[in-house]
Amino acid sequence: MDNYPLLNIFWTMLELFLWILWFFLLFKIITDIFRSDDMGGWGKAGWTIFVILLPFLGVLVYLIARGGSMHQRDVDQARKADAAFQDYVRRAAGTGGSGAAPGGGSGGHVEDLAKLAELRNSGALSEEEYQRAKDKLLV
């Protein structure tokens, strides 16, 4: 360690950080290429080849040409995932629009858990009491 000054350690760490950042950016762009709905198969193949064969130039050109719409594609993907999750929760809870749970009640455990959560959030129940009541409901 005597031959390796402190400034060289910082320089090495900076290089490592930039290398990891570069791979993150490369994977993000490749993911964006394949997620894009407004590009055909040949366009996706062309961008992928360009980014892989000439990585620095390909990534920079991609960011200049299509970087502005990357955020919109991320937001659309997040909205789709959230909608799918919300739909799954509604189906699992039995409130998918019919108003009745599969067991014949109007929500059963889901409504009871919601009431318990409200009581805990308002301070009427302590965390231990909430956990005991929740465990009782789920058994």
Side-chain angles (χ1 to χ4, degrees), residues 96-112:
S98 64
S106 63
H109 293 308
V110 176
E111 288 180 1
D112 293 339

Side-chain angles (χ1 to χ4, degrees), residues 26-105:
L26 185 66
F27 293 139
K28 177 76 172 159
I29 287 177
I30 290 173
T31 302
D32 187 65
I33 289 171
F34 287 106
R35 186 181 4 191
S36 179
D37 291 333
D38 61 341
M39 224 185 328
W42 287 106
K44 291 178 182 183
W47 275 113
T48 304
I49 290 170
F50 188 42
V51 165
I52 290 174
L53 292 182
L54 299 170
F56 290 113
L57 182 63
V59 166
L60 291 176
V61 170
Y62 187 84
L63 287 175
I64 291 168
R66 297 181 49 85
S69 59
M70 283 177 70
H71 172 71
Q72 187 59 40
R73 284 187 289 278
D74 283 341
V75 169
D76 291 343
Q77 180 72 19
R79 283 187 184 138
K80 287 178 187 175
D82 186 51
F85 175 72
Q86 293 296 330
D87 182 51
Y88 170 75
V89 168
R90 281 189 206 96
R91 283 186 287 126
T95 59
S98 64

